[in-house]
Amino acid sequence: MLGVLIVIMLVAAYLAGGMNSSWKDISAAAVGSCTDAVELGIFLAGSMALWGGLMRIAERSGIASAIGRLLSPLIRRIFKGLNGSDEASKAVSLNLTANLLGLGNAATPTGIKAVRMLDKHRYAKRNTAMLTVLNTASIQLIPVSIGALRAAHGSTSPFEIMPAVLVTSLASAAVGCIFAGVLYGGGDDDEAD
Amino acid sequence: MKLTDMVVPLVIGCILLWGLVRKVNITEEFTAGAAQGLRDAAELVPILVLLMTAVGMFTASGAADIISSIFGNAAQKLGFPQECLPLVLIRPVSGSGALAAADRLLTTISPDSFEGRVASVLMASTETTFYTIAVYSGALRKKAGSRIFIAAAAADITGFVLSALTVRLMFR
């Protein structure tokens, strides 16, 4: 998918280059952008190291599992047929915690485990859709990488966007859950997709 | 002084302090996690080189401006800055691509401007939706149904519209 995206961008660049005769600029960007990529990597590396280290302490000291416990009533409410303490609920809670804390590494594997668990329960499709929208709404407590990016570009207050981010994520998660709830209905999961 | 300026320093202090209280070897665990973070960043760079080159050429050619002007009217009606439109197109497909596009955007627009803040909120409050759906349906060896795309797209569109609205309401 990424390869297709890159080719689309390049073809669009050539078309626009033909229209605007901006080949000189395109050429400069083609040669110079690789340095920007490494620079961006360096900026991100610092904050990824800092938060990677802190989040590992959070995991080891029980902060992550405490957040998981706080989530359990919410999980019972959003996911149909889970009682909050079964294996599927635990897997969902681990995944949501990983997302909340911005543990990029843990988010995908815990998500895969969670959808596999949900798949064994009733309402599998509905619950998988719920997990997907909760994941793609990107609810996170501290937007680490965008904070680093803002700081790198000279923001005077890199994390001033936090309240706006939280409101936006929560609202889009809510809209996603409402849509999933309506589309998958209250019934069981036997119907074809 | 903004309240949000206190959050990050306090979170760092609380995590370290709680680690000490729970007798976690904080230096050892921190280093292990930080080393993993550095490896992750290093692994991200090779694809960023390709993506930044593509995004750089795309932006320099004027193609990004053409797209922005095509959808600009509709965006403006929603109160959405047209500079951020290319980001909307890339965000659901590729996380590193969106990162590259956001980096490019913030070199020309101040991160503390309206457009810069909207781009930041949009980046932080949306995800690579198509990728996530692909990974999850792949893990189940099932084809993703259309309903999941509709629900996720509704959530994404809410995220895009609200990123502009929240910035408008919260920063004056």
Side-chain angles (χ1 to χ4, degrees), chain A residues 2 20 22 36 49 53 56 61 105 111 116 119 135-138 140 150 153 155-157 160 171-172 183 193, chain B residues 2 5 18 29-30 34 40 61 94 103-104 107 111-112 117 120 124-125 127 136 139 142 145 147 155 162:
Chain A
L2 203 51
N20 300 340
S22 49
D36 299 341
R56 192 165 155 118
S61 61
N105 287 321
R116 285 195 175 137
D119 202 41
N135 277 191
T136 59
S138 177
Q140 50 181 339
R150 289 170 56 77
H153 287 288
S155 169
T156 54
S157 180
E160 65 179 5
S172 64
L183 287 170
D193 215 340
Chain B
K2 287 182 191 133
D5 290 335
W18 188 245
E29 296 298 342
F30 181 87
D40 292 342
S61 70
S94 161
D103 184 62
R104 172 71 44 203
T107 49
D112 296 334
R117 283 172 177 146
S120 311
S125 59
E127 251 293 335
Y136 287 171
K142 282 180 184 168
R147 286 180 290 180
L162 275 189

mmCIF file of all heavy atoms in Angstrom, chain A residues 2 20 22 36 49 53 56 61 105 111 116 119 135-138 140 150 153 155-157 160 171-172 183 193, chain B residues 2 5 18 29-30 34 40 61 94 103-104 107 111-112 117 120 124-125 127 136 139 142 145 147 155 162:
data_model
loop_
_atom_site.group_PDB
_atom_site.id
_atom_site.type_symbol
_atom_site.label_atom_id
_atom_site.label_comp_id
_atom_site.label_asym_id
_atom_site.label_seq_id
_atom_site.Cartn_x
_atom_site.Cartn_y
_atom_site.Cartn_z
ATOM 1 N N LEU A 2 1.963 1.177 0.794
ATOM 2 C CA LEU A 2 2.870 2.318 0.882
ATOM 3 C C LEU A 2 3.528 2.590 -0.464
ATOM 4 O O LEU A 2 3.681 3.745 -0.882
ATOM 5 C CB LEU A 2 3.936 2.003 1.936
ATOM 6 C CG LEU A 2 4.623 3.187 2.576
ATOM 7 C CD1 LEU A 2 3.614 4.180 3.085
ATOM 8 C CD2 LEU A 2 5.523 2.707 3.701
ATOM 9 N N ASN A 20 3.261 23.296 -14.038
ATOM 10 C CA ASN A 20 3.848 24.498 -13.421
ATOM 11 C C ASN A 20 5.274 24.773 -13.882
ATOM 12 O O ASN A 20 5.868 25.741 -13.456
ATOM 13 C CB ASN A 20 3.881 24.355 -11.889
ATOM 14 C CG ASN A 20 2.499 24.160 -11.290
ATOM 15 O OD1 ASN A 20 1.517 24.484 -11.926
ATOM 16 N ND2 ASN A 20 2.426 23.626 -10.094
ATOM 17 N N SER A 22 7.859 23.291 -12.765
ATOM 18 C CA SER A 22 8.563 23.450 -11.488
ATOM 19 C C SER A 22 9.658 22.392 -11.327
ATOM 20 O O SER A 22 9.965 21.975 -10.218
ATOM 21 C CB SER A 22 7.566 23.352 -10.337
ATOM 22 O OG SER A 22 6.740 22.219 -10.493
ATOM 23 N N ASP A 36 16.602 15.803 5.251
ATOM 24 C CA ASP A 36 15.501 16.131 6.164
ATOM 25 C C ASP A 36 15.008 14.884 6.886
ATOM 26 O O ASP A 36 14.645 14.934 8.058
ATOM 27 C CB ASP A 36 14.320 16.745 5.393
ATOM 28 C CG ASP A 36 14.714 18.033 4.690
ATOM 29 O OD1 ASP A 36 15.743 18.610 5.080
ATOM 30 O OD2 ASP A 36 13.994 18.446 3.760
ATOM 31 N N ALA A 49 13.267 7.683 22.670
ATOM 32 C CA ALA A 49 14.091 7.072 23.711
ATOM 33 C C ALA A 49 13.580 7.472 25.092
ATOM 34 O O ALA A 49 13.375 6.628 25.969
ATOM 35 C CB ALA A 49 15.551 7.487 23.533
ATOM 36 N N GLY A 53 11.755 4.779 27.564
ATOM 37 C CA GLY A 53 12.307 4.479 28.888
ATOM 38 C C GLY A 53 11.282 4.705 29.989
ATOM 39 O O GLY A 53 11.079 3.856 30.865
ATOM 40 N N ARG A 56 8.485 2.125 30.014
ATOM 41 C CA ARG A 56 8.900 0.834 30.547
ATOM 42 C C ARG A 56 8.832 0.851 32.075
ATOM 43 O O ARG A 56 8.396 -0.117 32.699
ATOM 44 C CB ARG A 56 10.307 0.497 30.071
ATOM 45 C CG ARG A 56 10.647 -0.935 30.352
ATOM 46 C CD ARG A 56 11.867 -1.357 29.581
ATOM 47 N NE ARG A 56 12.488 -2.455 30.267
ATOM 48 C CZ ARG A 56 12.625 -3.652 29.730
ATOM 49 N NH1 ARG A 56 12.190 -3.870 28.505
ATOM 50 N NH2 ARG A 56 13.212 -4.617 30.404
ATOM 51 N N SER A 61 6.186 -0.672 37.095
ATOM 52 C CA SER A 61 5.752 -0.230 38.411
ATOM 53 C C SER A 61 4.249 -0.379 38.597
ATOM 54 O O SER A 61 3.709 0.028 39.612
ATOM 55 C CB SER A 61 6.169 1.223 38.634
ATOM 56 O OG SER A 61 5.557 2.044 37.667
ATOM 57 N N ASN A 105 5.137 0.141 20.114
ATOM 58 C CA ASN A 105 5.561 -1.251 19.917
ATOM 59 C C ASN A 105 4.525 -2.245 20.332
ATOM 60 O O ASN A 105 4.352 -3.285 19.716
ATOM 61 C CB ASN A 105 6.752 -1.568 20.830
ATOM 62 C CG ASN A 105 7.964 -0.913 20.332
ATOM 63 O OD1 ASN A 105 8.159 -0.867 19.147
ATOM 64 N ND2 ASN A 105 8.753 -0.385 21.229
ATOM 65 N N GLY A 111 -3.110 -5.543 19.856
ATOM 66 C CA GLY A 111 -4.334 -5.399 19.075
ATOM 67 C C GLY A 111 -4.660 -6.677 18.320
ATOM 68 O O GLY A 111 -5.811 -7.115 18.279
ATOM 69 N N ARG A 116 -8.122 -11.470 17.827
ATOM 70 C CA ARG A 116 -8.223 -12.941 17.769
ATOM 71 C C ARG A 116 -9.079 -13.468 18.912
ATOM 72 O O ARG A 116 -9.860 -14.409 18.746
ATOM 73 C CB ARG A 116 -6.825 -13.550 17.803
ATOM 74 C CG ARG A 116 -6.111 -13.377 16.467
ATOM 75 C CD ARG A 116 -4.899 -14.277 16.349
ATOM 76 N NE ARG A 116 -4.344 -14.158 15.012
ATOM 77 C CZ ARG A 116 -3.046 -14.066 14.752
ATOM 78 N NH1 ARG A 116 -2.160 -14.121 15.726
ATOM 79 N NH2 ARG A 116 -2.632 -13.974 13.509
ATOM 80 N N ASP A 119 -12.687 -12.688 18.308
ATOM 81 C CA ASP A 119 -13.217 -13.528 17.236
ATOM 82 C C ASP A 119 -13.786 -14.843 17.766
ATOM 83 O O ASP A 119 -14.609 -15.480 17.112
ATOM 84 C CB ASP A 119 -12.105 -13.806 16.209
ATOM 85 C CG ASP A 119 -12.673 -14.178 14.854
ATOM 86 O OD1 ASP A 119 -13.661 -13.544 14.444
ATOM 87 O OD2 ASP A 119 -12.150 -15.109 14.221
ATOM 88 N N ASN A 135 -9.046 2.120 18.324
ATOM 89 C CA ASN A 135 -7.622 2.226 17.964
ATOM 90 C C ASN A 135 -7.368 3.370 17.000
ATOM 91 O O ASN A 135 -6.422 4.138 17.168
ATOM 92 C CB ASN A 135 -7.124 0.933 17.324
ATOM 93 C CG ASN A 135 -6.734 -0.102 18.359
ATOM 94 O OD1 ASN A 135 -6.143 -1.106 18.051
ATOM 95 N ND2 ASN A 135 -7.051 0.143 19.614
ATOM 96 N N THR A 136 -8.230 3.494 15.971
ATOM 97 C CA THR A 136 -7.934 4.500 14.949
ATOM 98 C C THR A 136 -8.272 5.913 15.417
ATOM 99 O O THR A 136 -7.840 6.874 14.811
ATOM 100 C CB THR A 136 -8.676 4.215 13.625
ATOM 101 O OG1 THR A 136 -10.076 4.209 13.874
ATOM 102 C CG2 THR A 136 -8.251 2.901 13.026
ATOM 103 N N ALA A 137 -9.033 6.037 16.516
ATOM 104 C CA ALA A 137 -9.289 7.370 17.053
ATOM 105 C C ALA A 137 -8.075 7.875 17.823
ATOM 106 O O ALA A 137 -8.033 9.032 18.227
ATOM 107 C CB ALA A 137 -10.513 7.377 17.952
ATOM 108 N N SER A 138 -7.075 7.000 18.018
ATOM 109 C CA SER A 138 -5.783 7.410 18.556
ATOM 110 C C SER A 138 -5.904 8.176 19.874
ATOM 111 O O SER A 138 -5.388 9.278 20.027
ATOM 112 C CB SER A 138 -5.070 8.284 17.514
ATOM 113 O OG SER A 138 -3.864 8.769 18.007
ATOM 114 N N GLN A 140 -4.692 9.114 23.109
ATOM 115 C CA GLN A 140 -3.429 8.976 23.845
ATOM 116 C C GLN A 140 -3.276 10.112 24.839
ATOM 117 O O GLN A 140 -3.709 11.229 24.605
ATOM 118 C CB GLN A 140 -2.248 8.918 22.882
ATOM 119 C CG GLN A 140 -2.255 10.034 21.860
ATOM 120 C CD GLN A 140 -1.087 9.956 20.907
ATOM 121 O OE1 GLN A 140 -0.080 9.338 21.206
ATOM 122 N NE2 GLN A 140 -1.207 10.598 19.765
ATOM 123 N N ARG A 150 6.749 19.372 16.890
ATOM 124 C CA ARG A 150 6.468 20.794 17.128
ATOM 125 C C ARG A 150 7.669 21.490 17.762
ATOM 126 O O ARG A 150 8.030 22.593 17.374
ATOM 127 C CB ARG A 150 5.229 20.951 18.027
ATOM 128 C CG ARG A 150 3.930 20.575 17.334
ATOM 129 C CD ARG A 150 2.765 20.515 18.327
ATOM 130 N NE ARG A 150 2.598 21.767 19.047
ATOM 131 C CZ ARG A 150 2.030 22.854 18.537
ATOM 132 N NH1 ARG A 150 1.551 22.812 17.304
ATOM 133 N NH2 ARG A 150 1.922 23.947 19.236
ATOM 134 N N HIS A 153 10.353 22.223 15.324
ATOM 135 C CA HIS A 153 10.073 23.335 14.419
ATOM 136 C C HIS A 153 9.880 24.650 15.174
ATOM 137 O O HIS A 153 9.289 25.595 14.651
ATOM 138 C CB HIS A 153 8.857 23.021 13.554
ATOM 139 C CG HIS A 153 9.162 22.003 12.493
ATOM 140 N ND1 HIS A 153 9.928 22.289 11.401
ATOM 141 C CD2 HIS A 153 8.851 20.691 12.394
ATOM 142 C CE1 HIS A 153 10.067 21.203 10.658
ATOM 143 N NE2 HIS A 153 9.417 20.220 11.238
ATOM 144 N N SER A 155 8.224 25.432 18.184
ATOM 145 C CA SER A 155 7.024 25.805 18.920
ATOM 146 C C SER A 155 7.401 26.320 20.310
ATOM 147 O O SER A 155 8.292 25.766 20.954
ATOM 148 C CB SER A 155 6.086 24.609 19.061
ATOM 149 O OG SER A 155 5.057 24.902 19.972
ATOM 150 N N THR A 156 6.712 27.365 20.768
ATOM 151 C CA THR A 156 7.011 27.881 22.104
ATOM 152 C C THR A 156 6.349 27.020 23.171
ATOM 153 O O THR A 156 6.741 27.051 24.328
ATOM 154 C CB THR A 156 6.512 29.333 22.263
ATOM 155 O OG1 THR A 156 5.117 29.362 21.914
ATOM 156 C CG2 THR A 156 7.267 30.270 21.353
ATOM 157 N N SER A 157 5.347 26.237 22.784
ATOM 158 C CA SER A 157 4.662 25.381 23.748
ATOM 159 C C SER A 157 4.214 24.103 23.032
ATOM 160 O O SER A 157 3.071 23.984 22.615
ATOM 161 C CB SER A 157 3.467 26.135 24.346
ATOM 162 O OG SER A 157 2.804 25.322 25.275
ATOM 163 N N GLU A 160 0.874 22.369 24.022
ATOM 164 C CA GLU A 160 -0.333 23.176 24.245
ATOM 165 C C GLU A 160 -1.548 22.568 23.554
ATOM 166 O O GLU A 160 -2.683 22.888 23.890
ATOM 167 C CB GLU A 160 -0.122 24.601 23.728
ATOM 168 C CG GLU A 160 0.062 24.631 22.220
ATOM 169 C CD GLU A 160 0.261 26.036 21.654
ATOM 170 O OE1 GLU A 160 0.349 26.981 22.428
ATOM 171 O OE2 GLU A 160 0.325 26.142 20.415
ATOM 172 N N ALA A 171 -14.061 12.408 20.910
ATOM 173 C CA ALA A 171 -15.265 12.613 20.107
ATOM 174 C C ALA A 171 -15.265 11.685 18.899
ATOM 175 O O ALA A 171 -16.294 11.097 18.562
ATOM 176 C CB ALA A 171 -15.365 14.066 19.668
ATOM 177 N N SER A 172 -14.109 11.520 18.240
ATOM 178 C CA SER A 172 -14.125 10.661 17.049
ATOM 179 C C SER A 172 -14.286 9.199 17.458
ATOM 180 O O SER A 172 -14.926 8.419 16.750
ATOM 181 C CB SER A 172 -12.906 10.899 16.155
ATOM 182 O OG SER A 172 -11.729 10.553 16.797
ATOM 183 N N LEU A 183 -24.585 0.200 12.877
ATOM 184 C CA LEU A 183 -24.398 -0.616 11.669
ATOM 185 C C LEU A 183 -24.459 -2.113 11.982
ATOM 186 O O LEU A 183 -24.977 -2.896 11.191
ATOM 187 C CB LEU A 183 -23.052 -0.296 11.016
ATOM 188 C CG LEU A 183 -22.958 1.048 10.296
ATOM 189 C CD1 LEU A 183 -21.523 1.340 9.924
ATOM 190 C CD2 LEU A 183 -23.832 1.032 9.052
ATOM 191 N N ASP A 193 -21.615 -10.178 5.989
ATOM 192 C CA ASP A 193 -21.158 -8.794 6.076
ATOM 193 C C ASP A 193 -21.479 -8.034 4.798
ATOM 194 O O ASP A 193 -21.371 -8.574 3.724
ATOM 195 C CB ASP A 193 -19.650 -8.780 6.314
ATOM 196 C CG ASP A 193 -19.273 -7.621 7.205
ATOM 197 O OD1 ASP A 193 -20.081 -6.688 7.296
ATOM 198 O OD2 ASP A 193 -18.205 -7.673 7.807
ATOM 199 N N LYS B 2 0.804 28.268 30.818
ATOM 200 C CA LYS B 2 -0.282 27.377 30.452
ATOM 201 C C LYS B 2 -0.229 26.118 31.301
ATOM 202 O O LYS B 2 0.847 25.618 31.614
ATOM 203 C CB LYS B 2 -0.158 26.988 28.979
ATOM 204 C CG LYS B 2 -0.527 28.101 28.037
ATOM 205 C CD LYS B 2 -0.422 27.592 26.612
ATOM 206 C CE LYS B 2 -0.525 28.743 25.643
ATOM 207 N NZ LYS B 2 0.506 28.683 24.618
ATOM 208 N N ASP B 5 1.776 23.264 29.983
ATOM 209 C CA ASP B 5 3.229 23.271 30.117
ATOM 210 C C ASP B 5 3.689 22.478 31.331
ATOM 211 O O ASP B 5 4.838 22.077 31.423
ATOM 212 C CB ASP B 5 3.740 24.725 30.231
ATOM 213 C CG ASP B 5 3.592 25.466 28.911
ATOM 214 O OD1 ASP B 5 3.562 24.792 27.859
ATOM 215 O OD2 ASP B 5 3.499 26.703 28.932
ATOM 216 N N TRP B 18 7.058 7.076 41.216
ATOM 217 C CA TRP B 18 6.273 5.860 41.463
ATOM 218 C C TRP B 18 7.120 4.613 41.227
ATOM 219 O O TRP B 18 7.000 3.626 41.957
ATOM 220 C CB TRP B 18 5.026 5.847 40.583
ATOM 221 C CG TRP B 18 4.091 4.733 40.924
ATOM 222 C CD1 TRP B 18 3.745 3.689 40.147
ATOM 223 C CD2 TRP B 18 3.397 4.562 42.170
ATOM 224 N NE1 TRP B 18 2.881 2.863 40.805
ATOM 225 C CE2 TRP B 18 2.647 3.371 42.061
ATOM 226 C CE3 TRP B 18 3.343 5.288 43.361
ATOM 227 C CZ2 TRP B 18 1.853 2.897 43.105
ATOM 228 C CZ3 TRP B 18 2.546 4.805 44.399
ATOM 229 C CH2 TRP B 18 1.814 3.630 44.259
ATOM 230 N N GLU B 29 15.655 -0.061 33.963
ATOM 231 C CA GLU B 29 14.469 -0.195 33.118
ATOM 232 C C GLU B 29 14.391 0.944 32.102
ATOM 233 O O GLU B 29 14.033 0.746 30.951
ATOM 234 C CB GLU B 29 13.187 -0.208 33.970
ATOM 235 C CG GLU B 29 13.078 -1.391 34.920
ATOM 236 C CD GLU B 29 13.025 -2.727 34.192
ATOM 237 O OE1 GLU B 29 12.736 -2.744 32.982
ATOM 238 O OE2 GLU B 29 13.291 -3.756 34.845
ATOM 239 N N PHE B 30 14.757 2.160 32.584
ATOM 240 C CA PHE B 30 14.720 3.289 31.657
ATOM 241 C C PHE B 30 15.656 3.055 30.481
ATOM 242 O O PHE B 30 15.279 3.248 29.320
ATOM 243 C CB PHE B 30 15.104 4.604 32.360
ATOM 244 C CG PHE B 30 15.045 5.788 31.438
ATOM 245 C CD1 PHE B 30 13.863 6.483 31.265
ATOM 246 C CD2 PHE B 30 16.148 6.169 30.689
ATOM 247 C CE1 PHE B 30 13.784 7.543 30.387
ATOM 248 C CE2 PHE B 30 16.079 7.227 29.800
ATOM 249 C CZ PHE B 30 14.895 7.914 29.655
ATOM 250 N N ALA B 34 14.641 2.976 26.690
ATOM 251 C CA ALA B 34 15.177 4.033 25.835
ATOM 252 C C ALA B 34 15.960 3.428 24.669
ATOM 253 O O ALA B 34 15.867 3.916 23.535
ATOM 254 C CB ALA B 34 16.066 4.964 26.648
ATOM 255 N N ASP B 40 13.851 1.719 17.501
ATOM 256 C CA ASP B 40 12.637 1.977 16.722
ATOM 257 C C ASP B 40 12.826 3.183 15.811
ATOM 258 O O ASP B 40 12.416 3.177 14.647
ATOM 259 C CB ASP B 40 11.446 2.243 17.650
ATOM 260 C CG ASP B 40 11.053 0.996 18.416
ATOM 261 O OD1 ASP B 40 11.462 -0.096 17.985
ATOM 262 O OD2 ASP B 40 10.355 1.111 19.437
ATOM 263 N N SER B 61 6.580 20.334 -6.437
ATOM 264 C CA SER B 61 6.022 20.403 -7.781
ATOM 265 C C SER B 61 4.804 21.323 -7.841
ATOM 266 O O SER B 61 4.381 21.740 -8.919
ATOM 267 C CB SER B 61 5.599 19.009 -8.243
ATOM 268 O OG SER B 61 4.473 18.591 -7.511
ATOM 269 N N SER B 94 -0.836 6.028 5.634
ATOM 270 C CA SER B 94 0.525 5.773 6.083
ATOM 271 C C SER B 94 0.929 6.694 7.227
ATOM 272 O O SER B 94 0.879 7.921 7.101
ATOM 273 C CB SER B 94 1.481 5.965 4.905
ATOM 274 O OG SER B 94 2.793 6.158 5.382
ATOM 275 N N ASP B 103 6.000 17.133 8.781
ATOM 276 C CA ASP B 103 7.304 17.773 8.937
ATOM 277 C C ASP B 103 7.510 18.813 7.848
ATOM 278 O O ASP B 103 7.947 19.936 8.108
ATOM 279 C CB ASP B 103 8.403 16.700 8.881
ATOM 280 C CG ASP B 103 9.780 17.301 9.144
ATOM 281 O OD1 ASP B 103 9.973 17.835 10.247
ATOM 282 O OD2 ASP B 103 10.636 17.248 8.242
ATOM 283 N N ARG B 104 7.149 18.447 6.620
ATOM 284 C CA ARG B 104 7.264 19.375 5.489
ATOM 285 C C ARG B 104 6.389 20.602 5.713
ATOM 286 O O ARG B 104 6.797 21.739 5.510
ATOM 287 C CB ARG B 104 6.868 18.611 4.214
ATOM 288 C CG ARG B 104 6.743 19.412 2.949
ATOM 289 C CD ARG B 104 8.060 19.893 2.418
ATOM 290 N NE ARG B 104 9.092 18.863 2.457
ATOM 291 C CZ ARG B 104 10.404 19.124 2.462
ATOM 292 N NH1 ARG B 104 10.815 20.359 2.427
ATOM 293 N NH2 ARG B 104 11.272 18.142 2.493
ATOM 294 N N THR B 107 7.678 23.143 8.262
ATOM 295 C CA THR B 107 8.825 23.965 7.890
ATOM 296 C C THR B 107 8.356 25.263 7.238
ATOM 297 O O THR B 107 9.039 26.273 7.304
ATOM 298 C CB THR B 107 9.769 23.248 6.892
ATOM 299 O OG1 THR B 107 8.991 22.729 5.835
ATOM 300 C CG2 THR B 107 10.536 22.129 7.545
ATOM 301 N N PRO B 111 4.455 26.116 13.820
ATOM 302 C CA PRO B 111 3.634 25.183 14.602
ATOM 303 C C PRO B 111 2.676 25.898 15.551
ATOM 304 O O PRO B 111 1.697 25.302 15.996
ATOM 305 C CB PRO B 111 4.670 24.351 15.378
ATOM 306 C CG PRO B 111 5.943 25.109 15.294
ATOM 307 C CD PRO B 111 5.889 25.930 14.051
ATOM 308 N N ASP B 112 2.949 27.168 15.833
ATOM 309 C CA ASP B 112 2.070 27.911 16.739
ATOM 310 C C ASP B 112 1.042 28.768 16.008
ATOM 311 O O ASP B 112 0.346 29.570 16.624
ATOM 312 C CB ASP B 112 2.913 28.797 17.670
ATOM 313 C CG ASP B 112 3.794 27.958 18.584
ATOM 314 O OD1 ASP B 112 3.427 26.795 18.850
ATOM 315 O OD2 ASP B 112 4.850 28.453 19.014
ATOM 316 N N ARG B 117 -1.264 24.423 14.286
ATOM 317 C CA ARG B 117 -1.919 23.721 15.398
ATOM 318 C C ARG B 117 -2.918 22.694 14.893
ATOM 319 O O ARG B 117 -3.022 21.587 15.424
ATOM 320 C CB ARG B 117 -2.635 24.729 16.305
ATOM 321 C CG ARG B 117 -1.686 25.476 17.204
ATOM 322 C CD ARG B 117 -2.408 26.576 17.936
ATOM 323 N NE ARG B 117 -1.527 27.259 18.866
ATOM 324 C CZ ARG B 117 -1.619 28.553 19.147
ATOM 325 N NH1 ARG B 117 -2.538 29.293 18.578
ATOM 326 N NH2 ARG B 117 -0.779 29.100 20.005
ATOM 327 N N SER B 120 -1.111 19.710 13.844
ATOM 328 C CA SER B 120 -0.628 18.959 15.003
ATOM 329 C C SER B 120 -1.749 18.145 15.638
ATOM 330 O O SER B 120 -1.577 16.955 15.935
ATOM 331 C CB SER B 120 -0.063 19.910 16.058
ATOM 332 O OG SER B 120 0.839 20.822 15.502
ATOM 333 N N ALA B 124 -2.123 14.046 15.856
ATOM 334 C CA ALA B 124 -2.125 13.356 17.139
ATOM 335 C C ALA B 124 -3.449 12.654 17.427
ATOM 336 O O ALA B 124 -3.497 11.734 18.229
ATOM 337 C CB ALA B 124 -1.819 14.343 18.266
ATOM 338 N N SER B 125 -4.534 13.066 16.758
ATOM 339 C CA SER B 125 -5.825 12.501 17.145
ATOM 340 C C SER B 125 -6.438 11.622 16.056
ATOM 341 O O SER B 125 -7.591 11.241 16.147
ATOM 342 C CB SER B 125 -6.797 13.626 17.520
ATOM 343 O OG SER B 125 -6.961 14.488 16.433
ATOM 344 N N GLU B 127 -5.402 8.202 13.163
ATOM 345 C CA GLU B 127 -4.454 7.099 13.019
ATOM 346 C C GLU B 127 -4.411 6.624 11.568
ATOM 347 O O GLU B 127 -5.152 7.135 10.738
ATOM 348 C CB GLU B 127 -4.886 5.938 13.925
ATOM 349 C CG GLU B 127 -3.991 5.724 15.129
ATOM 350 C CD GLU B 127 -2.608 5.252 14.746
ATOM 351 O OE1 GLU B 127 -2.440 4.644 13.668
ATOM 352 O OE2 GLU B 127 -1.662 5.508 15.532
ATOM 353 N N TYR B 136 -5.758 -5.964 11.171
ATOM 354 C CA TYR B 136 -6.676 -6.748 11.988
ATOM 355 C C TYR B 136 -7.425 -7.788 11.162
ATOM 356 O O TYR B 136 -7.599 -8.926 11.598
ATOM 357 C CB TYR B 136 -7.662 -5.836 12.735
ATOM 358 C CG TYR B 136 -7.015 -5.088 13.874
ATOM 359 C CD1 TYR B 136 -7.667 -4.074 14.563
ATOM 360 C CD2 TYR B 136 -5.718 -5.412 14.271
ATOM 361 C CE1 TYR B 136 -7.055 -3.400 15.604
ATOM 362 C CE2 TYR B 136 -5.098 -4.737 15.307
ATOM 363 C CZ TYR B 136 -5.771 -3.733 15.966
ATOM 364 O OH TYR B 136 -5.174 -3.059 16.996
ATOM 365 N N ALA B 139 -5.075 -10.538 10.445
ATOM 366 C CA ALA B 139 -4.833 -11.413 11.591
ATOM 367 C C ALA B 139 -5.952 -12.433 11.747
ATOM 368 O O ALA B 139 -5.739 -13.538 12.239
ATOM 369 C CB ALA B 139 -4.705 -10.576 12.861
ATOM 370 N N LYS B 142 -9.770 -12.794 7.494
ATOM 371 C CA LYS B 142 -11.114 -12.507 6.975
ATOM 372 C C LYS B 142 -11.036 -11.231 6.161
ATOM 373 O O LYS B 142 -10.200 -10.375 6.430
ATOM 374 C CB LYS B 142 -12.077 -12.262 8.141
ATOM 375 C CG LYS B 142 -12.553 -13.516 8.824
ATOM 376 C CD LYS B 142 -13.484 -13.123 9.944
ATOM 377 C CE LYS B 142 -13.905 -14.355 10.734
ATOM 378 N NZ LYS B 142 -14.562 -14.001 11.989
ATOM 379 N N GLY B 145 -15.253 -6.154 6.269
ATOM 380 C CA GLY B 145 -16.557 -5.798 5.697
ATOM 381 C C GLY B 145 -16.668 -4.302 5.475
ATOM 382 O O GLY B 145 -15.843 -3.532 5.972
ATOM 383 N N ARG B 147 -18.933 -2.351 6.575
ATOM 384 C CA ARG B 147 -19.427 -1.593 7.726
ATOM 385 C C ARG B 147 -18.300 -1.053 8.583
ATOM 386 O O ARG B 147 -18.372 0.031 9.136
ATOM 387 C CB ARG B 147 -20.347 -2.485 8.570
ATOM 388 C CG ARG B 147 -21.691 -2.704 7.906
ATOM 389 C CD ARG B 147 -22.578 -3.590 8.743
ATOM 390 N NE ARG B 147 -22.088 -4.959 8.772
ATOM 391 C CZ ARG B 147 -22.704 -5.942 9.443
ATOM 392 N NH1 ARG B 147 -23.792 -5.693 10.135
ATOM 393 N NH2 ARG B 147 -22.225 -7.161 9.419
ATOM 394 N N ALA B 155 -15.479 8.089 12.066
ATOM 395 C CA ALA B 155 -14.619 8.533 13.167
ATOM 396 C C ALA B 155 -13.522 9.456 12.645
ATOM 397 O O ALA B 155 -13.225 10.495 13.245
ATOM 398 C CB ALA B 155 -14.008 7.326 13.877
ATOM 399 N N LEU B 162 -13.116 18.159 13.725
ATOM 400 C CA LEU B 162 -12.954 18.654 15.091
ATOM 401 C C LEU B 162 -11.565 19.205 15.364
ATOM 402 O O LEU B 162 -11.391 20.065 16.214
ATOM 403 C CB LEU B 162 -13.278 17.549 16.097
ATOM 404 C CG LEU B 162 -14.745 17.393 16.458
ATOM 405 C CD1 LEU B 162 -14.871 16.428 17.625
ATOM 406 C CD2 LEU B 162 -15.360 18.729 16.832
#
